[in-house]
Amino acid sequence: MASLLRATTWGLCPWRGYCSKGTQGALSEGFVAALKAVVGPPQVSMAAAVREQHGQDESMHRCQPPDAVVWPQNVDQVCRLAALCYCQGVPIIPFGTGTGLEGGVCAVQGGVCINLTHMDRIVELNPEDFSVVVEPGVTRKALNTHLWDSGLWFPVDPGADASLCGMAATGASGTNAVRYGTMRENVLNLEVVLPDGRLLHTAGPGRHFRPRPWARRPSARGLGTHLPYVSPGSRKSAAGYNLTGLFVGSEGTLGLITATTLRLHPAPEATVAATCAFPSVQAAVDSTVHILQAAVPVARIEFLDDVMMDACNRHNKLNYSVAPTLFLEFHGSEQALAEQLRRAEEITQHNGAFHFFWAKEAEERSRLWTVRHNAWYAVLALRPGCKGYSTDVCVPISRLPEILVQTKEDLKASGLTGAIVGHVGDGNFHCILLVDPEDPEELHRVEAFAQQLGRQALALHGTCTGEHGIGLGKRQLLQEEVGAVGVETMRQLKAMLDPRGLMNPGKVL
Ligand SMILES: *[C@@H]1O[C@H](CO)[C@@H](O)[C@H](O)[C@H]1NC(C)=O
Ligand SMILES: *[C@@H]1O[C@H](CO)[C@@H](O)[C@H](O)[C@H]1NC(C)=O
Ligand SMILES: *[C@@H]1O[C@H](CO)[C@@H](O)[C@H](O)[C@H]1NC(C)=O
C-alpha cells in the first residue's frame, strides 16, 4: 500500500528543491491541499500559535516553528505524509510530547511537524513474554497505569511524562537505569516510517524476544542479581546488523518511529526509599561506588548537592540538611530489602553519612522523593524569570568523584547560579544552570561552561550526553566524542537512509 502510494505521489509532485533554498513559510497551496487529502482538513494547521507551540521543547534553545503541523491517525497516513514531503523536498519533524531538553524538535529549516499523539493505542500486551507494543501517543505514565494490575511495569523514567516512542528516539533513561537499564536495553523492536514512506520493522514484523527465565523473579536471587538482571544485549539474536539499536537515539533524523516494542519487568514486590546526608561530595560519591561494588541491587541512587538541597528546602518548605545528599530506592522481597538496607546503611555510615532516614509506606516514600522529583522547579525558583539549562555528562563510575568535585569548584569559580543533581549510579549527572534569557553574555557563559564540562567528561573516557541526546547544541562535542571516522560513518548512514536530508534537519550531525 505504502509503496503504491509512493509511486503515485512521486509522479504527481516532482522535486522542487524546497529546503535547499532555506525559505520558510513557502508551502504551496497544492502541497497543503495534498496534506489535507491524506489526514483530513481539520488535522492540518498553519495557525501561528500552533506552529509556535510545535517549534519548541523544554530547553532554552532558541527555536523556529515549522510551516505546518499535521496530526496523522495511523501509520498508513504517516507513510503517505512522508512520501509526500519526500518528493517535494519538505523537511519532516516528528513530534511527541515536546519534553526534550536539546532543541530536538526545532524546525531549523521549516517544514512539516508531524504531531503523533493521536496515535495512542497500546497495540499488544504479551504478559508471558514480558513485552508490549505501543504507539507514539502513549506516555510512560499511561502505560504504567494500563499495566497497574498485571504485575508488570515499565521502569525507564526520565522524569517528564514523555512519549515512549520519543524516549526510544532520544535514547532516554533517568533514575531507574542503574538497575533496569536505559531505552537501549529495553527496546526490542521498532516500527519506523522511512523518509521516502517505506515501512521498516527493525527486528522483523511482530518479533519480540523472550527474557531469560530467571528475570521473572528478580528478588529470588537476593543481592547477587544486581548486575546481570538486565545485561545489555543479553537477549539472543544473531540476525545481522542491529537496526533497532541504530534507531534508538537517532532523534528523528533517520525516520519516524510509529510503534515500539518494549521489554517489561515484574513490578517490585516491595519498595523502600532512603536518604542520607554527607560531610562532602567525595563521601557521597564514594558511598555510591562502594554500594555498587558490593553488588547491592539498588534501583535508584541519586545525588543532590548542597545548593540543590537548599533550593529544595525553600521550594518544598522542608528542612533537610544543606549538605551533599543521596536518595536511594530498593526493590525486592521483604527479606531482600532488609538486607539491602542494612548493607547500604553500613556503607554510607562508614563514609561519614548522617541522618540515614528510610520510608516504606507509599505516602512516606513519595514525601521523601518529592524533593528529588521537584528538583528542576526548585532550582528555577532560585531566580524567578530565568530559564534552566541542564548539562548531561556521564563518566565511568571510577572517575565520578573527581569530575563531580572539580565541577563543584568550577561552578563556584564561574559565578553562575547552578546546582548539581545526578543519577550517580550510572556515572551520569546534571548541572542545572540558571540563565536570564535576556542576557546574551550570561547565555554565552553558560554555554561555555557546558562545553567545557562536556570536554572534561570526554577526557575521562565519558560521554557528553548520558540521556538528553545531541539535538542542536552538542554536535561539535559528538564529533570530538566519536572522532572523524565515527562522524563520517554516521553521515554515510544518514545519507543512505535519508538521501535528501529531510528528516529533522540540523540535529545530531
Ligand atoms: C499535539 O497534539 C495533541 C493532540 O491534539 C495536543 O494535545 C498537543 O498539545 C499537541 N502538541 C503541541 C505542542 O501543541
Ligand atoms: C539491539 O538493540 C536493541 C536496542 O538498543 C537492544 O535492546 C537489543 O538488545 C540489541 N540486540 C542485540 C542482539 O544486541
Ligand atoms: C524539621 O524540623 C522540625 C522541628 O525541628 C522537625 O520536627 C522535623 O522532623 C524536621 N524535618 C525534617 C525533614 O528534617
Side-chain angles (χ1 to χ4, degrees):
M1 175 68 176
S3 57
L4 184 73
L5 275 158
R6 184 162 42 92
T8 42
T9 34
W10 261 113
L12 284 177
C13 44
W15 164 252
R16 288 184 201 150
Y18 169 92
C19 77
S20 56
K21 294 193 204 90
T23 45
Q24 285 202 18
L27 297 182
S28 70
E29 272 178 36
F31 179 77
V32 175
L35 293 176
K36 289 182 176 166
V38 174
V39 291
Q43 312 301 337
V44 177
S45 176
M46 320 257 291
V50 173
R51 293 191 294 113
E52 285 293 334
Q53 264 180 25
H54 286 84
Q56 64 194 23
D57 59 9
E58 290 185 3
S59 71
M60 61 166 207
H61 289 288
R62 276 178 191 278
C63 284
Q64 285 108 308
D67 298 317
V69 181
V70 177
W71 285 263
Q73 311 297 315
N74 55 52
V75 62
D76 188 52
Q77 289 182 355
V78 180
C79 290
R80 291 161 63 189
L81 290 171
L84 196 59
C85 290
Y86 186 72
C87 71
Q88 291 254 341
V90 178
I92 306 171
I93 302 107
F95 198 102
T97 48
T99 45
L101 292 175
E102 290 296 345
V105 294
C106 185
V108 291
Q109 296 181 6
V112 174
C113 174
I114 303 198
N115 180 330
L116 292 155
T117 50
H118 283 180
M119 295 172 60
D120 60 357
R121 287 179 311 143
I122 293 174
V123 181
E124 190 184 321
L125 173 62
N126 301 301
E128 316 245 289
D129 289 337
F130 289 70
S131 76
V132 68
V133 183
V134 295
E135 290 187 333
V138 180
T139 65
R140 66 176 182 88
K141 285 187 184 164
L143 174 62
N144 280 323
T145 304
H146 182 82
L147 293 172
W148 187 246
D149 46 14
S150 68
L152 298 169
W153 73 310
F154 185 69
V156 182
D157 172 6
D161 187 19
S163 145
L164 291 156
C165 290
M167 285 165 61
T170 55
S173 50
T175 53
N176 279 315
V178 61
R179 175 151 182 179
Y180 299 96
T182 70
M183 289 308 274
R184 289 209 188 268
E185 289 83 41
N186 287 287
V187 173
L188 302 175
N189 198 351
L190 293 168
E191 180 187 81
V192 179
V193 174
L194 295 175
D196 61 5
R198 282 176 304 156
L199 194 61
L200 167 73
H201 292 93
T202 54
R207 233 160 284 282
H208 54 268
F209 295 98
R210 267 152 47 97
R212 294 172 173 190
W214 53 260
R216 284 159 197 256
R217 305 216 107 255
S219 53
R221 298 173 56 152
L223 292 173
T225 53
H226 175 50
L227 290 173
Y229 177 54
V230 192
S231 53
S234 69
R235 217 39 63 89
K236 275 201 178 177
S237 164
Y241 302 141
N242 190 340
L243 294 180
T244 311
L246 176 61
F247 280 87
V248 174
S250 63
E251 303 185 33
T253 63
L254 301 178
L256 295 116
I257 297 176
T258 49
T260 171
T261 307
L262 298 168
R263 171 179 302 181
L264 298 176
H265 297 257
E269 240 173 273
T271 300
V272 177
T275 170
C276 50
F278 292 86
S280 66
V281 174
Q282 182 84 40
V285 184
D286 284 348
S287 300
T288 307
V289 175
H290 296 160
I291 286 171
L292 294 176
Q293 281 171 348
V296 180
V298 62
R300 306 185 204 237
I301 183 161
E302 298 281 306
F303 169 82
L304 281 72
D305 76 349
D306 54 338
V307 179
M308 182 60 88
M309 290 308 293
D310 188 35
C312 289
N313 278 342
R314 288 164 198 246
H315 185 66
N316 301 299
K317 305 208 169 21
L318 293 167
N319 55 356
Y320 279 99
S321 314
V322 176
T325 301
L326 288 180
F327 283 78
L328 303 109
E329 193 170 280
F330 305 95
H331 297 168
S333 66
E334 302 281 342
Q335 202 188 347
L337 284 180
E339 178 62 9
Q340 293 180 32
L341 264 182
R342 192 184 63 74
R343 294 296 299 278
E345 187 163 3
E346 210 174 83
I347 291 169
T348 52
Q349 275 174 357
H350 180 76
N351 283 295
F354 40 98
H355 305 316
F356 190 95
F357 289 116
W358 56 274
K360 190 150 186 302
E361 296 316 317
E363 204 176 309
E364 258 183 291
R365 275 192 280 122
S366 85
R367 192 153 5 107
L368 195 146
W369 271 87
T370 314
V371 170
R372 171 62 188 92
H373 286 306
N374 294 339
W376 174 259
Y377 302 100
V379 179
L380 289 185
L382 286 177
R383 267 177 74 191
C386 283
K387 285 208 149 199
Y389 177 80
S390 174
T391 66
D392 178 34
V393 302
C394 188
V395 295
I397 190 103
S398 62
R399 312 307 291 272
L400 190 61
E402 62 184 285
I403 195 169
L404 263 181
V405 170
Q406 182 66 44
T407 304
K408 194 87 190 103
E409 277 168 24
D410 294 348
L411 193 54
K412 267 192 212 139
S414 74
L416 296 166
T417 313
I420 297 178
V421 54
H423 316 305
V424 282
D426 308 309
N428 183 201
F429 69 92
H430 310 295
C431 209
I432 304 178
L433 302 162
L434 289 179
V435 54
D436 176 355
E438 305 302 322
D439 181 349
E441 191 272 329
E442 190 176 50
L443 193 64
H444 180 74
R445 278 196 298 143
V446 164
E447 280 165 358
F449 184 90
Q451 294 273 327
Q452 188 204 339
L453 181 54
R455 295 207 166 94
Q456 279 165 355
L458 295 184
L460 299 176
H461 301 130
T463 171
C464 65
T465 174
E467 56 187 10
H468 298 167
I470 299 295
L472 282 175
K474 294 210 199 98
R475 288 174 297 170
Q476 174 60 34
L477 286 171
L478 176 68
Q479 300 202 4
E480 293 170 28
E481 182 163 335
V482 300
V485 179
V487 166
E488 186 53 27
T489 307
M490 287 190 191
R491 281 194 211 288
Q492 286 167 344
L493 279 166
K494 162 88 175 161
M496 197 270 297
L497 284 159
D498 181 20
R500 291 183 166 186
L502 298 176
M503 281 307 309
N504 203 9
K507 315 301 155 47
V508 184
L509 290 170

